[in-house]
Amino acid sequence: MSHALLARQLSELVGEAHLREDPAACAPFALHHQVPALVVEPGSVEEVAQVVAAVAAEGMTVVPYGGGTRQAWGAPVASTNVVVVRTTRLNQVLIYEPDDLTISLQAGMTAAALNATLADNGQMFPLDVPLPHQSTIGGLLATAMDGPRRLGYGTSRDLLLGVQVVEASGRISKAGGMTVKNVSGYDLMKLYTGSLGTLAIIVAANFKLIPRPNAEASLLCSFATPEQAFQLIEGVRISQLTPMALEYVEGLTFAPFTNSTIQVALRTEGLSAAVERHLHELTARTAQAGGQAYPLHDEAHRQLWAQLNDLPQTATVADDELVIRLTTLPSQLALALTRARTTAHELGITLTVSARSLNGVAYLRARGNDEQLRTWHNRLYAHQPTTAVLGGPLHLRREMPAWGQPPTTVEVMRRIKHQFDPTNRLNPGRYVV
Amino acid sequence: MEPTRLIAELKQIVGVTGVVTDPDALMTYDADGCVMDTHAPHVVVLPTSTEQVSAIVRLAAQHDVPVVPRGAGTGLSGGATPMHGGIIIGTSRMSQILELDLPNGRVLVQPGVINWELTQYLTLSGYHFAPDPSSQKACTIGGNIANNSGGPHCLKYGVTTNHVLGVEMVLADGSVIWTGDGTPDCAGYDLTGVINGSEGTFGIVTATWLRLTRLPEAIRVVLALYPTIAGATSTVSQVIARGLLPAALEIMDRLAIKAVNTMYRLGMPDEAGALLIVEVDGVTDGLDELLNDIVAICWSNGALDVRPARTPAEQVRVWSARKNAFGAMGRLAPTYHLVDTVVPRTRLPKMMEEVAQIAQELNLPVANVFHAGDGNLHPIILFDRRDPDQNERALQAVNRMMLISIEQGGVISGEHGIGVEKQEFMPYLFNQDDLAAMAALHQGFDPEGRFNPGKIFPKTQNARDLAEQRHSMAFADRDVA
Ligand SMILES: Cc1cc2nc3c(=O)[nH]c(=O)nc-3n(C[C@H](O)[C@H](O)[C@H](O)COP(=O)(O)OP(=O)(O)OC[C@H]3O[C@@H](n4cnc5c(N)ncnc54)[C@H](O)[C@@H]3O)c2cc1C
C-alpha cells in the first residue's frame, strides 16, 4: 500500500493536525539523516494502539519518539519505511496523591514538567536527565539514561513501579502497580527500561518519589591533575559520607576556576547539619589532595547541576564529534579514563569527560578528524568492550559497534525480542537485538 | 520418566549422599512455609557446583521431568512446592562466599548462602547486604532473588532487586549464562532485573554478584507506643513530611504487641494499641536533632511512651520486639497465616479498618505487623488448621483481604510472591493481555516450562499456552478499520 492510504487512515485516527506527511514537515524528525515517511502524534493510549496496529499492518516500521533528545543513540533503523510515533501529546499526570510518595503519569511528559509538578508538594524525581525541558519520561525509561544523582538515588530502574505499554501488535498491557513494593508477577518494568523502544512503546509510568531535602548545596573542587581528583574520589568512597552525586569533569572550566580543567563536583542533600558537614569535610579533603574547593548554594548550585546534567546530551553533536559512553567496574574508571586521555593527547583529539565517578559510568566527547576519532575509538574499544557510541558522524558510526561487543546473553534477548515483536516492527536494527 | 535410572544417573552427578529418595525425607520437601497446598517431589538433589546443576537440568530434560529450585523453604507463597513432582534442586550445599571485592562494593556468592551468614561475614568490612527479610537467619540469597524479598530497611535501601548486580543462571537446556558482574549500564535487556522476582520459573540461579552498601556512620531509633493505630500512622506521615526518608518505619498492633510482650517480657504497657519504630541513619551531624524532632512528633500524636535509642545495644533491644513478632505468634494460636499485601501508603488506615472488620465478621483473631512506610501490610490470621471450619474461615479472610487490597489501588503481594498461594488472584489484578506479556517474557527463558511449573499464572493458564495464544492472535485481532 502507498503511504497515502496509510496516511489517510492515520489522519482519521488522530486528526489531520497530528499527522505530518510532507517531507519538509517530517525533516526535523530525521533519524540518522533519514527522513521518516510519516510522523504521527496520537492523543491517547488507545490512539497509540490503533496507530501501531495500522502501521504494522502495512509492514512499516514504528519508531517511538519522545522529545527526540536521544534519537541519535543506536545504529540506524534498518528500514526505509519509517513512521515516527510521538508520545508528546500524552503528557498528563494520571494519579498523584502526594502523601503516597508515588505518581502515575503519561510517558510524553517532560522531566522538567514532572519536577515542576512535584516541587509544589515538597517532592522530587531525582533522575537528572539531560535537556529536561525536552526529554520525556518515556524516552528516559527507554534509554535508561542515568544522571549524576544515581549515586544517591539510583536510576529509573530503581524508581519505576509500574508501566503501561502499547505492544508491537497494537495491544495495550500493563505491569507493576502504584505501590512501592510489589512482587505480583514478573517485573516487566525492568524489561522495558533500557529496551530502546524495541519491545513496546511505553505510554504511562508509575514512580516512587523522594521527599525534597530541606538543605542542599554543592562543592566544586578543582585540581591540577586527574590523579589528585581521583584521590579525593577514592577517599569519599571509603568514607561514610553520603554525597548524592560526585561527578568527575575534565576538559571544561567552571567559575570560579577559570584556568583549571580538572574538577570534581559534589552534591550534598539532606539535613542542613549533614550538608554543612559534607561541605566542610570535603573542603579539607580537597586541600589534602592538593586541590581547591568552592562551595555553591542556591541559584549557583542549581545552575552548576543544570550544566553538568546536560553534558552527555546527544541532541546537538558537532560534525567532528563523537559521544561515547564508557562503563567499567567502578574501581577501574580512573584507569580507563587515563587510557582515553593519553590516547586522545597522542592523537591530538580534544576530549571532555563527565563521569559518575563512583558508579563507573563516563560520557566522553571527543573532537577530531575521522582518522583520529576512528583510531581513538578502536583503542578504547579494545580495552573496554562495553563502550557504546551514542552520537557522532554517521559515516564513522557505521564502522563502529554502536553498543560494543554483543552481550553473552544475546540469545535469550533474541528470544525475548521475538516474543514481543516477532515481525521486527519496532526500531529494527537499532539495538543489540 | 524412569525413576530408577534417573536416580542412578543423579547419583553419578552429585554422589550418593547428594540424592534424597527416602519417602519420609521427601515429605519434608512437600511445601515451604505456606502449607495450603502440598506435593512431594520424586527426588531431591543437593549439588555443590554450577556444573552439577547444569548436568542435573540436562538429565531432567532427557527424562522430561520438572525441576523446582529450593533454598531454605521459608517462602510463604508455595514457591518451592513441587506442584507436579519431579526433581527439587536444593541449594543447601551451594553455600560458599566466593569473592569479596570491596573496591567495587560487591560480593560473589553461591545461591545457598544464608542471608544472615553473609551479614555476619561482612560485619567487619564496613559494608552490608541491605535486604534484611525477617526470616534472614534461615532464608537463602537464591530465595531472596527469586522472590525479590524485602525487609524493614527496604524503605530507604530498596528490595533485593536493587542489590543484585548479576546472576549466573542454568537454563532449561543446561546452558549457563551470566547476566552481569557489576559493570553498570551494559547494552541489552536487563535480564538481571527480570530474573529477580521470577520465583524460580526461569532457571536456577547458581551464583550472583551482590551489591554491598556502606554502613551508615550513625543510626538513631525511636520506639513509640500509642493507644491506637491512628496515632502511629499520623506520626509516620509527619516524619516523612520532615523531608528525610527514614531507613525504616514499622508498626505493630495490639495483638502483635501482646504476643511479643508476653513471650519476651518487653515491659510494654497493656493499654498500648500500637507500636511504631522509626529508624533514621546517615552522617552523625544533625541526627540527634532529628531524633528529638521525631520524639516530639510522637508525643504530639498522642504517644503513651516514647523510647529513643541512641546506642547499638538499645537499638537491638528496640528492634527485638519487631524482629520476634512472627516467632511469637505461635503463642497465640496453633497456626497462623501471614497475608502479604500492599496498598498506596495513604490507604493503610482504611485497610486496617477493613482487616479488623473481616476479623470480626469471620470471628478470627488477626494480628498486624506492617511496613508502614511503604504500605505493606501483614495481617496475621490466627487459627487452628486442624479445625476445618476455622480453616475455611481463614481462607475466606485471605480472599477478602486480597480483593479489598486491589480495590484500594494495591496489589496482591509486596514481598512474598505469588507462587501457588495467590495464582488465582492474578486475573483480578491483570487482564489477559497483561498476563500474556508476562508469559511472553517467560517463554524467552524457559519455553518448555521445565522450571517450577504450575506457579504464578492461574492453574488453568500456563505460560506457554498464554504466550502461544498471544502470538497467534497478535496479528489477527487487530481492527484496522
Ligand atoms: C518467619 C518468616 C518471616 C519472613 N519475613 C520476610 C520478610 O521480612 N520479607 C520477605 O520478603 N520475605 C519474608 N519471608 C518469606 C521468605 O523468607 C522469603 O521469601 C525468602 O527469600 C525465601 O528464601 P528461601 O531460601 O527460604 O527460599 P525458598 O522458600 O526455598 O524458595 C523461594 C522461591 O525461590 C525459588 N528459588 C530458591 N532458590 C533458587 C535459586 N537458586 N534459583 C532460582 N530460584 C530459586 C524457589 O523455587 C521458590 O520459588 C518470611 C518467611 C518467614 C517464614
Side-chain angles (χ1 to χ4, degrees):
Chain A
M1 181 175 76
S2 73
H3 295 165
L5 262 169
L6 177 64
R8 207 166 68 217
Q9 210 179 358
L10 295 182
S11 162
E12 273 162 25
L13 281 173
V14 303
E16 211 179 325
H18 305 295
L19 178 76
R20 299 171 193 233
E21 34 180 335
D22 178 8
C26 293
F29 299 91
L31 305 149
H32 298 111
H33 304 318
Q34 188 199 325
V35 177
L38 300 166
V39 175
V40 52
E41 264 184 299
S44 68
V45 171
E46 290 66 31
E47 282 184 15
V48 176
Q50 289 166 329
V51 165
V52 169
V55 176
E58 293 316 319
M60 291 182 69
T61 290
V62 174
V63 171
Y65 201 109
T69 59
R70 285 182 298 286
Q71 289 291 348
W73 286 29
V77 176
S79 161
T80 47
N81 265 325
V82 170
V83 177
V84 159
V85 179
R86 296 199 77 192
T87 56
T88 28
R89 284 177 71 210
L90 306 174
N91 58 5
Q92 301 299 306
V93 169
L94 300 172
I95 308 173
Y96 181 33
E97 179 70 60
D99 281 350
D100 284 334
L101 280 173
T102 56
I103 193 166
S104 175
L105 50 97
Q106 290 186 313
M109 189 173 202
T110 64
L114 170 56
N115 264 320
T117 306
L118 302 176
D120 296 340
N121 292 290
Q123 297 178 347
M124 63 181 184
F125 177 70
L127 305 180
D128 312 304
V129 66
L131 310 177
H133 292 278
Q134 284 155 266
S135 186
T136 62
I137 296 303
L140 162 62
L141 291 174
T143 54
M145 179 66 201
D146 70 343
R149 279 189 290 173
R150 76 180 286 167
L151 181 63
Y153 301 105
T155 58
S156 47
R157 158 185 216 285
D158 302 297
L159 298 177
L160 182 65
L161 305 176
V163 69
Q164 188 186 34
V165 300
V166 169
E167 300 177 18
S169 58
R171 206 178 289 168
I172 301 167
S173 63
K174 66 170 187 307
M178 277 297 277
T179 57
V180 287
K181 274 166 91 181
N182 186 359
V183 289
S184 313
Y186 298 137
D187 192 345
L188 295 178
M189 285 65 77
K190 300 283 190 297
L191 182 67
Y192 300 129
T193 302
S195 64
L196 207 78
T198 60
L199 296 176
I201 303 184
I202 299 168
V203 289
N206 310 337
F207 290 100
K208 180 173 166 176
L209 301 173
I210 308 287
R212 213 167 243 285
N214 40 24
E216 58 181 284
S218 26
L219 195 71
L220 189 63
C221 315
S222 158
F223 298 93
T225 68
E227 288 70 30
Q228 291 175 337
F230 274 93
Q231 185 187 331
L232 173 74
I233 290 163
E234 177 62 8
V236 173
R237 183 186 71 75
I238 58 182
S239 78
Q240 282 168 311
L241 294 171
T242 55
M244 293 300 150
L246 196 66
E247 199 74 352
Y248 169 82
V249 194
E250 181 180 326
L252 293 166
T253 57
F254 294 90
F257 303 113
T258 42
N259 49 16
S260 159
T261 62
I262 310 265
Q263 274 106 6
V264 174
L266 162 101
R267 180 167 179 154
T268 165
E269 299 179 354
L271 302 173
S272 42
V275 166
E276 282 313 310
R277 155 85 181 278
H278 278 84
L279 295 180
H280 189 76
E281 188 167 334
L282 265 295
T283 302
R285 283 169 180 266
T286 303
Q288 273 166 27
Q292 271 179 291
Y294 188 81
L296 298 167
H297 297 273
D298 306 320
E299 196 46 33
H301 157 76
R302 278 188 289 276
Q303 272 182 12
L304 172 69
W305 291 98
Q307 220 178 330
L308 293 173
N309 292 346
D310 284 352
L311 291 180
Q313 65 81 20
T314 47
T316 329
V317 178
D319 289 342
D320 62 346
E321 188 177 38
L322 209 53
V323 186
I324 298 280
R325 182 178 67 194
L326 191 75
T327 62
T328 70
L329 284 172
S331 69
Q332 292 163 14
L333 182 69
L335 179 65
L337 291 180
T338 302
R339 268 197 220 103
R341 179 187 318 115
T342 315
T343 317
H345 282 179
E346 265 173 48
L347 295 166
I349 281 173
T350 320
L351 184 66
T352 59
V353 177
S354 57
R356 328 294 189 215
S357 67
L358 288 176
N359 297 102
V361 178
Y363 295 91
L364 277 52
R365 306 186 84 95
R367 298 187 73 160
N369 64 32
D370 284 1
E371 196 41 45
Q372 289 169 321
L373 293 176
R374 186 180 287 126
T375 315
W376 180 73
H377 173 267
N378 269 340
R379 294 212 209 147
L380 216 63
Y381 180 57
H383 282 286
Q384 232 64 52
T386 56
T387 299
V389 186
L390 304 180
L394 192 56
H395 62 275
L396 263 188
R397 293 185 67 188
R398 285 192 193 281
E399 301 170 13
M400 302 170 177
W403 299 105
Q405 225 168 59
T408 54
T409 47
V410 73
E411 251 333 295
V412 179
M413 293 179 191
R414 238 173 239 141
R415 288 204 295 267
I416 294 172
K417 168 74 176 173
H418 180 73
Q419 284 288 330
F420 279 80
D421 182 16
T423 51
N424 212 7
R425 286 286 144 251
L426 294 169
N427 263 339
R430 221 158 160 199
Y431 203 30
V432 290
V433 290
Chain B
M1 175 177 62
E2 260 189 73
T4 29
R5 218 186 85 212
L6 173 65
I7 285 162
E9 288 170 333
L10 287 171
K11 284 180 178 164
Q12 275 175 11
I13 299 170
V14 296
V16 180
T17 55
V19 179
V20 180
T21 52
D22 173 56
D24 284 342
L26 289 180
M27 286 306 286
T28 63
Y29 289 90
D30 72 352
D32 58 4
C34 168
V35 289
M36 287 184 162
D37 272 300
T38 60
H39 198 294
H42 289 109
V43 54
V44 175
V45 199
L46 306 170
T48 54
S49 68
T50 304
E51 293 69 35
Q52 288 183 356
V53 173
S54 165
I56 297 164
V57 171
R58 260 181 279 130
L59 201 60
Q62 277 164 31
H63 287 262
D64 194 22
V65 291
V67 175
V68 178
R70 182 180 174 103
T74 68
L76 292 172
S77 57
T81 307
M83 297 311 289
H84 300 277
I87 303 175
I88 278 190
I89 298 189
T91 58
S92 56
R93 294 184 179 189
M94 299 181 78
S95 55
Q96 304 288 312
I97 296 171
L98 302 170
E99 189 183 336
L100 178 63
D101 176 12
L102 289 182
N104 289 306
R106 58 179 192 158
V107 63
L108 177 65
V109 304
Q110 284 190 306
V113 168
I114 309 274
N115 179 299
W116 181 249
E117 282 172 5
L118 180 59
T119 304
Q120 294 300 102
Y121 171 84
L122 294 167
T123 314
L124 299 176
S125 70
Y127 287 78
H128 68 135
F129 177 60
D132 58 342
S134 306
S135 55
Q136 70 182 152
K137 296 224 162 114
C139 65
T140 65
I141 298 297
N144 296 168
I145 292 174
N147 281 350
N148 188 15
S149 301
H153 291 87
C154 66
L155 177 60
K156 175 168 176 182
Y157 292 101
V159 289
T160 302
T161 189
N162 307 109
H163 302 274
V164 178
L165 298 170
V167 300
E168 181 188 63
M169 181 174 254
V170 173
L171 301 179
D173 60 357
S175 63
V176 181
I177 58 169
W178 255 115
T179 63
D181 66 353
T183 304
D185 300 5
C186 294
Y189 303 141
D190 182 2
L191 300 186
T192 310
V194 296
I195 286 171
N196 273 278
S198 63
E199 301 191 25
T201 61
F202 287 178
I204 300 200
V205 173
T206 45
T208 172
W209 277 112
L210 302 174
R211 181 200 302 283
L212 298 177
T213 306
R214 192 78 172 93
L215 287 170
E217 186 176 87
I219 298 173
R220 296 290 181 268
V221 183
V222 179
L223 181 151
L225 295 162
Y226 299 83
T228 63
I229 295 267
T233 48
S234 55
T235 302
V236 166
S237 298
Q238 287 176 29
V239 167
I240 288 181
R242 182 73 176 66
L244 186 108
L245 200 62
L249 281 171
E250 298 285 312
I251 296 183
M252 287 165 65
D253 75 351
R254 186 180 304 277
L255 202 52
I257 299 171
K258 191 177 140 203
V260 285
N261 211 19
T262 37
M263 189 150 173
Y264 300 99
R265 294 176 207 284
L266 294 172
M268 311 277 178
D270 286 341
E271 67 271 28
L275 176 156
L276 167 70
I277 294 177
V278 184
E279 180 171 311
V280 288
D281 67 13
V283 292
T284 315
D285 311 63
L287 223 47
D288 280 321
E289 290 86 328
L290 179 64
L291 182 77
N292 293 338
D293 284 2
I294 293 172
V295 168
I297 294 174
C298 293
W299 286 122
S300 74
N301 280 286
L304 300 167
D305 187 7
V306 183
R307 306 174 181 179
R310 291 184 179 82
T311 67
E314 285 169 348
Q315 290 167 5
V316 167
R317 205 178 137 68
V318 163
W319 268 109
S320 71
R322 168 65 181 85
K323 296 226 161 160
N324 293 310
F326 297 138
M329 291 302 152
R331 280 285 168 114
L332 301 179
T335 331
Y336 69 83
H337 184 85
L338 198 164
V339 186
D340 165 45
T341 146
V342 47
V343 291
R345 206 164 50 90
T346 52
R347 311 290 173 85
L348 268 177
K350 171 76 177 158
M351 276 306 285
M352 299 310 294
E353 276 171 33
E354 296 280 356
V355 166
Q357 178 76 22
I358 293 168
Q360 201 190 12
E361 282 177 27
L362 293 171
N363 192 22
L364 286 169
V366 174
N368 282 286
V369 173
F370 55 96
H371 309 298
D374 33 42
N376 194 183
L377 299 79
H378 286 336
I380 303 167
I381 304 169
L382 302 160
F383 66 111
D384 185 346
R385 216 174 128 225
R386 294 161 301 190
D387 174 351
D389 175 51
Q390 285 195 34
N391 221 8
E392 178 49 38
R393 278 183 285 140
L395 276 175
Q396 268 184 44
V398 176
N399 280 1
R400 289 180 53 179
M401 287 176 195
M402 286 294 108
L403 298 181
I404 288 175
S405 174
I406 295 172
E407 206 178 275
Q408 290 299 316
V411 295
I412 56 180
S413 180
E415 55 181 21
H416 296 166
I418 301 303
V420 285
E421 186 207 4
K422 291 177 177 165
Q423 61 189 152
E424 302 307 333
F425 291 100
M426 287 290 275
Y428 291 98
L429 194 58
F430 297 111
N431 66 27
Q432 283 294 300
D433 290 344
D434 306 337
L435 290 175
M438 291 182 196
L441 171 63
H442 176 271
Q443 290 308 93
F445 282 92
D446 183 18
E448 303 203 338
R450 173 80 46 223
F451 291 107
N452 213 357
K455 303 290 168 70
I456 302 179
F457 297 94
K459 280 204 169 75
T460 52
Q461 295 186 298
N462 71 49
R464 187 149 114 197
D465 294 347
L466 268 167
E468 264 166 23
Q469 275 169 27
R470 173 180 186 273
H471 210 97
S472 62
M473 278 161 52
F475 293 89
D477 69 346
R478 273 176 304 125
D479 179 14
V480 193

